[in-house]
């Protein structure tokens, strides 16, 4: 509620950390963590709610509980997710992530453990590893385009799809920086872009600061996102980012 008062347009809730070294949790535990929060927010606010999950079973449950959007950091790893999207009218944020498992079967808790191991090791599924920094943007666009075609072929309307280039996922420091720098190009695909780089390692790599000292770096990325016509930024420090965005938009509107 404080985030909403500070100007957040959407609240993103996650029941499982996806930072490097995280411990996967079961679908049941994830639902037990997330659903009560959704219900409590709904008692006080009708702000749109996004849920950060890559499990179709969790997605189905949280949509029933009142979530409006699924934020899937797994790059559509769970094939059942498409059926969830076909059954509902929720918005879907598709994030590029070459480290996610791609087995054509139900995504389960063991897959989550393999996903964690794969991310930590840089993984056999990490197709970004052999990409030159100059090639990474085209690689991400091509990958996202392939998954978008899967969604469209399944009958998911294009206006329900948001793209996230996946800063910090299966990309090295230079590739992360290039992904941020080229964020405008992802919008040229015709789909709205969500940029999630708040407090991430790319800021620590550049500034040499720990995670709790990355506000200025986050604000710099947000400013770049505004200049690049990115419609969504996912941030931790809502008030500061909202004020920055308002100021930049006021300057641009006065030009």
């Amino acid at each position: 509620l404080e985030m909403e008062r500070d100007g957040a347009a959407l609240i993103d809730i996650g029941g499982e950390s996806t930072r490097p070294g995280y411990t996967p949790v079961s679908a049941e535990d994830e639902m037990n963590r997330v659903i009560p929060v959704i219900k409590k927010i709904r008692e006080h606010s009708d702000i749109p709610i996004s849920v950060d999950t890559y499990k179709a079973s969790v997605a189905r449950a949280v949509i029933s509980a009142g979530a409006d959007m699924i934020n899937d950091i797994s790059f559509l790893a769970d094939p059942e997710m498409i059926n969830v999207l076909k059954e509902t009218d929720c918005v879907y944020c598709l994030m590029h992530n070459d480290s996610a498992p791609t087995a054509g079967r139900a995504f389960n808790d063991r897959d989550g453990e393999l996903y964690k191991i794969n991310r930590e090791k840089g993984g056999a599924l990490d197709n970004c590893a052999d990409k030159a920094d100059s090639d990474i943007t085209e690689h991400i666009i091509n990958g996202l385009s392939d998954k978008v075609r899967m969604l469209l072929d399944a009958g998911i309307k294009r206006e329900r799809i948001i793209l996230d280039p996946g800063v910090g996922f299966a990309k090295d420091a230079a590739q992360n920086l290039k992904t941020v720098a080229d964020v405008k190009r992802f919008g040229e695909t015709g789909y709205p872009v969500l940029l999630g780089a708040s407090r991430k390692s790319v800021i620590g790599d550049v500034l040499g600061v720990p995670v709790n000292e990355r506000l200025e770096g986050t604000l710099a990325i947000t400013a770049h996102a505004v200049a690049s016509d990115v419609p969504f930024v996912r941030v931790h420090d809502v008030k500061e980012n909202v004020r920055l965005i308002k100021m930049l938009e006021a300057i641009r509107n006065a030009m």
Side-chain angles (χ1 to χ4, degrees):
L1 294 176
E2 181 180 353
M3 290 180 179
E4 183 177 13
R5 288 192 296 270
D6 286 342
L10 180 147
I11 301 296
D12 190 49
I13 303 171
E16 177 181 300
S17 174
T18 53
R19 70 185 63 186
Y22 78 99
T23 300
V25 301
S26 68
E28 182 180 5
D29 285 345
E30 195 175 341
M31 286 185 273
N32 288 339
R33 293 176 179 183
V34 172
I35 291 176
V37 180
I38 296 172
K39 291 181 176 178
K40 199 67 177 178
I41 291 174
R42 281 288 168 258
E43 291 177 10
H44 302 279
S45 174
D46 60 358
I47 189 170
I49 294 175
S50 163
V51 172
D52 182 350
T53 187
Y54 52 84
K55 302 181 184 81
S57 59
V58 176
R60 185 176 281 111
V62 298
I63 293 168
S64 296
D68 305 284
M69 171 175 149
I70 297 301
N71 175 21
D72 183 359
I73 58 91
S74 78
F75 207 19
L76 200 57
D78 187 344
E80 181 63 20
M81 187 68 78
I82 288 183
N83 288 329
V84 174
L85 299 178
K86 290 168 68 174
E87 295 165 10
T88 66
D89 60 357
C90 74
V91 176
Y92 180 71
C93 184
L94 171 70
M95 193 193 82
H96 182 271
N97 182 359
D98 274 337
S99 68
T102 55
R105 54 186 170 78
F107 198 81
N108 55 41
D109 297 333
R110 175 58 180 159
D111 288 317
E113 182 62 27
L114 291 174
Y115 175 29
K116 174 195 174 188
I117 292 169
N118 200 39
R119 282 200 62 203
E120 290 177 341
K121 291 184 176 179
L125 298 176
D126 183 357
N127 296 323
C128 285
D130 60 354
K131 297 295 179 185
D133 300 340
S134 59
D135 297 334
I136 190 64
T137 301
E138 196 67 28
H139 173 70
I140 295 170
I141 290 173
N142 289 339
L144 287 169
S145 297
D146 288 344
K147 294 296 176 75
V148 165
R149 278 193 291 272
M150 289 175 57
L151 294 170
L152 296 177
D153 289 345
I156 310 304
K157 294 182 179 179
R158 60 181 296 121
E159 57 264 29
R160 293 171 55 194
I161 302 171
I162 297 173
L163 304 183
D164 181 342
V167 174
F169 287 82
K171 301 170 183 70
D172 63 26
Q175 291 171 340
N176 281 321
L177 197 58
K178 180 66 171 173
T179 300
V180 172
D182 284 354
V183 69
K184 187 178 182 68
R185 289 185 57 191
F186 302 110
E188 292 171 354
T189 62
Y191 293 88
V193 173
L194 184 152
L195 183 63
S198 177
R199 300 184 186 176
K200 284 192 175 177
S201 62
V202 63
I203 299 170
D205 292 331
V206 172
L207 301 181
V209 294
V211 67
N212 62 336
E213 296 182 20
R214 295 177 183 172
L215 174 59
E216 298 91 344
T218 299
L219 292 171
I221 291 175
T222 295
H224 178 65
V226 172
S228 302
D229 298 319
V230 173
F232 301 104
V233 288
R234 187 175 60 249
V235 299
H236 299 84
D237 305 287
V238 174
K239 181 187 295 182
E240 293 85 350
N241 280 272
V242 166
R243 288 177 176 176
L244 174 79
I245 291 167
K246 285 183 176 179
M247 194 69 221
L248 288 172
E249 289 181 339
I251 292 169
R252 184 161 63 179
N253 291 337
M255 294 174 66

